[in-house]
Amino acid sequence: MTTFRMPADEAEARAVQDALRTRVVLDEPGPPPGTGRVTGVDVAYDDERDVVVAAAVVLDAATLDVVAESTARGRVTFPYVPGLLAFREIPTVLAALEALPADPGLVVCDGYGRAHPRRFGLASHLGVLTGLPVIGVAKNPFTFRYREPGPERGDFSPLLDGDEEVGRALRTQHATKPVFVSVGHRTGLDNACAHTLALARDFRQPETTRRADALCRAALREAVA
């Protein structure tokens, strides 16, 4: 795992993104959906106390049963800047991943990978630093445009920046809002969407995200109590 160094300011953070982006691997398909392990990561903040808590939850990809979980607590040491949110989250997310007693397998972020202004969102950043296959599954399209996909589970449409497809709007449940899937590292877009559908059996969000969100919120409540 590559050592993370916090940039001094926004300009340095953008330079770090531009430099690390060249190390993103886009020509690997990634592990088959429904096999091995998948890990959800998420964070929760208490901005008044400058506290951030990250959670990592490992699931069996076939059964979606929890295999292992961990949390980590840190301080918010980088300001809120759209496009640079990874620098607020990555140190604590890395600590949560390192605390896991099991191999995480594929990692699913509640955020973006290639669907980012510099094509280097949290999922890409985390993948480069850890070497793990990572995808991003976000709740909104950030700054990009898309046509509404069909109403059925599995329907999708390209998430576009100009003519470039940076991800997909994917319908995971009938007539619900789509989620926005993008490649992070060492996984193709078709496979990322297949993983998302396999993990979103009953709800709009992947089970990895749902479990990690619940765990980090509970850990934050405990941390600030």
Side-chain angles (χ1 to χ4, degrees):
M1 185 178 293
T2 302
T3 302
F4 180 83
R5 184 178 66 85
M6 184 64 69
D9 53 31
E10 295 178 26
E12 185 178 345
R14 293 188 179 94
V16 168
Q17 288 180 328
D18 291 339
L20 292 182
R21 185 179 61 239
T22 63
R23 294 164 53 184
V24 172
V25 174
L26 299 174
D27 59 357
E28 292 185 17
T35 64
R37 292 168 176 166
V38 288
T39 296
V41 294
D42 203 1
V43 300
Y45 295 95
D46 186 312
D47 288 320
E48 291 184 1
R49 298 175 176 84
D50 288 332
V51 173
V52 57
V53 172
V57 181
V58 186
L59 304 182
D60 180 288
T63 64
L64 302 189
D65 292 335
V66 175
V67 174
E69 59 185 31
S70 64
T71 61
R73 175 180 175 178
R75 309 295 300 182
V76 178
T77 58
F78 197 83
Y80 172 81
V81 181
L84 300 178
L85 296 184
F87 293 99
R88 290 168 60 89
E89 301 181 359
I90 274 186
T92 316
V93 170
L94 288 174
L97 284 172
E98 290 176 347
L100 286 172
D103 177 9
L106 176 87
V107 177
V108 182
C109 292
D110 180 16
Y112 310 95
R114 297 282 293 170
H116 181 274
R118 279 174 294 284
R119 304 298 182 266
F120 198 72
L122 173 64
S124 299
H125 205 148
L126 191 61
V128 168
L129 292 181
T130 63
L132 296 168
V134 187
I135 66 173
V137 183
K139 299 180 184 71
N140 63 69
F142 200 12
T143 61
F144 304 113
R145 61 183 177 84
Y146 69 100
R147 290 186 176 181
E148 194 71 18
E152 299 304 324
R153 173 178 161 85
D155 288 341
F156 68 87
S157 62
L159 187 62
L160 297 170
D161 185 8
D163 294 328
E164 181 183 357
E165 184 181 37
V166 297
R168 287 179 186 161
L170 176 66
R171 192 86 65 190
T172 55
Q173 300 294 326
H174 173 74
T176 62
K177 293 180 180 180
V179 296
F180 300 90
V181 181
S182 57
V183 170
H185 185 63
R186 298 183 57 202
T187 310
L189 185 54
D190 287 343
N191 204 23
C193 289
H195 274 286
T196 303
L197 288 172
L199 293 166
R201 295 178 185 175
D202 301 311
F203 300 95
R204 175 183 178 235
Q205 287 291 314
E207 195 63 18
T208 41
T209 300
R210 286 168 39 80
R211 298 290 184 96
D213 175 74
L215 181 58
C216 69
R217 289 178 184 275
L220 180 63
R221 289 193 296 269
E222 183 178 340
V224 301

